[in-house]
Amino acid sequence: MSDEPDEQPDIDALMKGEKKYEWLSEPRFQRLFNDIEDGLQGVLGRGKFEWVDRRVFDQVFDSSTLLAVHKLMQKGGIDTIDYPIARGKEAHVFHASTNHGPVAVKIFHTSNAVFKGLAKYIDGDPRFSGLSRRHRELVNIWVRKEFRNLKRMRKHGLRVPEPLDSLKNVLVMSYLGDDKGASPRLKDITIDKPYEVFEELLDFVAVNWQSCGLVHADFSEYNVLWYDGEPWVIDVGQAVIHRHPNAEEFLVRDVTRLVEWINRQGYSAELAESLARVLDDPVPTLPPLSGGD
């Protein structure tokens, strides 16, 4: 917990004091915000959870994002957004509550320049041809891409979060964690049988390549969560299909990172052997998971 005084920020003063929030004085946005304010108590620092970060609203919730959250709340996909569980340059992920239990809400930033690097994961993918180069539209396309990649992976039985809904720059997924908090990253824990986990993750890469026709393209211990005693892979927005011109380069990079991880645990896995297994060995046919398509 912070040593700072436990003062609750005045959201009206916070926003009206910034020119960037002048849009909230417009009647339609003021009505919208009033309609969902109770559902945003967590991110406003007023919820039951012991955290306050005055920068979060500034970084994440612009007018377009609030519109998207409002519509998702009206549909019943989100009741309250409670607190952040992961923060990155591209997105914040929040714990959220619904009538059916907790979910994860991933909100991609729309006001930074990080997404200049996203084009290499979209150009060449026929699923997303004829793209606008506008920053916001690229972000929205990225969210749809992650949604579709999650569905394809779950169709082939791969352990990734279940995609539940998406709108603009907001993605709603199943929550990987418990009432004590989100599941830890593989990077941050010590596991009992790392080589077995290495082989399981190598199978993930192989099934993803051979059965799903995808390559994750950012596979590492940073994007694997340890949930319920098993590894679950996250952040699949950059995953590309076989026909992408850089697919094989991304695949080699993914397997290289996985081999480097297990070798740091004291083993001596060979990159060439691991790549051959991904490319050539038969892969299991896994039962589909809910939400697959």
Side-chain angles (χ1 to χ4, degrees), residues 79-275:
D79 287 338
T80 63
I81 298 180
D82 305 316
Y83 57 90
I85 55 179
R87 313 181 195 196
K89 292 182 295 183
E90 296 89 359
H92 274 61
V93 184
F94 295 87
H95 177 285
S97 299
T98 74
N99 289 333
H100 309 292
V103 296
V105 175
K106 188 173 186 177
I107 300 180
F108 289 81
H109 305 161
T110 59
S111 60
N112 59 34
V114 173
F115 280 86
K116 289 181 179 178
L118 296 188
K120 65 181 178 181
Y121 297 105
I122 295 178
D123 289 343
D125 190 330
R127 298 177 298 169
F128 302 93
S129 59
L131 299 181
S132 165
R133 285 302 184 193
R134 291 181 301 169
H135 174 76
R136 185 180 295 277
E137 181 59 23
L138 185 59
V139 173
N140 295 346
I141 290 166
W142 188 266
V143 173
R144 296 200 298 272
K145 185 169 182 276
E146 180 154 10
F147 190 92
R148 289 174 63 173
N149 287 342
L150 288 168
K151 291 181 76 68
R152 183 183 288 200
M153 291 177 184
R154 288 184 66 91
K155 177 182 179 181
H156 292 278
L158 294 179
R159 287 196 297 269
V160 296
E162 180 179 358
L164 302 173
D165 207 345
S166 71
L167 184 63
K168 295 184 178 180
N169 60 314
V170 182
L171 174 62
V172 184
M173 304 173 288
S174 57
Y175 171 68
L176 301 181
D178 55 27
D179 55 4
K180 296 179 181 178
S183 297
R185 301 178 302 178
L186 189 59
K187 171 72 172 64
D188 299 324
I189 60 173
T190 300
I191 53 178
D192 292 334
K193 298 178 180 179
Y195 200 82
E196 290 184 10
V197 173
F198 166 73
E199 291 186 315
E200 194 169 353
L201 292 174
L202 205 59
D203 279 346
F204 180 103
V205 176
V207 171
N208 199 36
W209 179 259
Q210 294 190 38
S211 302
C212 300
L214 293 171
V215 55
H216 185 283
D218 191 21
F219 202 84
S220 75
E221 66 269 33
Y222 290 88
N223 285 330
V224 178
L225 298 185
W226 192 253
Y227 174 59
D228 201 20
E230 295 178 311
W232 287 68
V233 176
I234 60 171
D235 288 344
V236 305
Q238 70 290 321
V240 300
I241 63 173
H242 278 173
R243 285 177 286 166
H244 189 283
N246 301 116
E248 292 183 358
E249 174 191 342
F250 295 152
L251 181 66
V252 172
R253 186 175 66 187
D254 282 356
V255 177
T256 298
R257 288 176 175 173
L258 185 54
V259 168
E260 289 173 346
W261 170 77
I262 192 58
N263 287 346
R264 287 195 297 272
Q265 316 304 311
Y267 295 87
S268 300
E270 295 289 338
L271 176 59
E273 180 181 332
S274 299
L275 273 170

Side-chain angles (χ1 to χ4, degrees), residues 1-38:
M1 292 178 58
S2 170
D3 293 330
E4 295 180 5
D6 185 19
E7 56 178 293
Q8 301 298 328
D10 183 336
I11 190 60
D12 295 322
L14 179 66
M15 292 187 292
K16 290 178 181 177
E18 297 284 347
K19 290 183 179 179
K20 67 181 71 177
Y21 295 119
E22 287 180 353
W23 53 267
L24 260 180
S25 63
E26 298 177 30
R28 69 179 183 125
F29 288 119
Q30 187 62 60
R31 288 194 300 270
L32 176 151
F33 182 76
N34 290 340
D35 191 30
I36 63 174
E37 184 176 4
D38 285 345

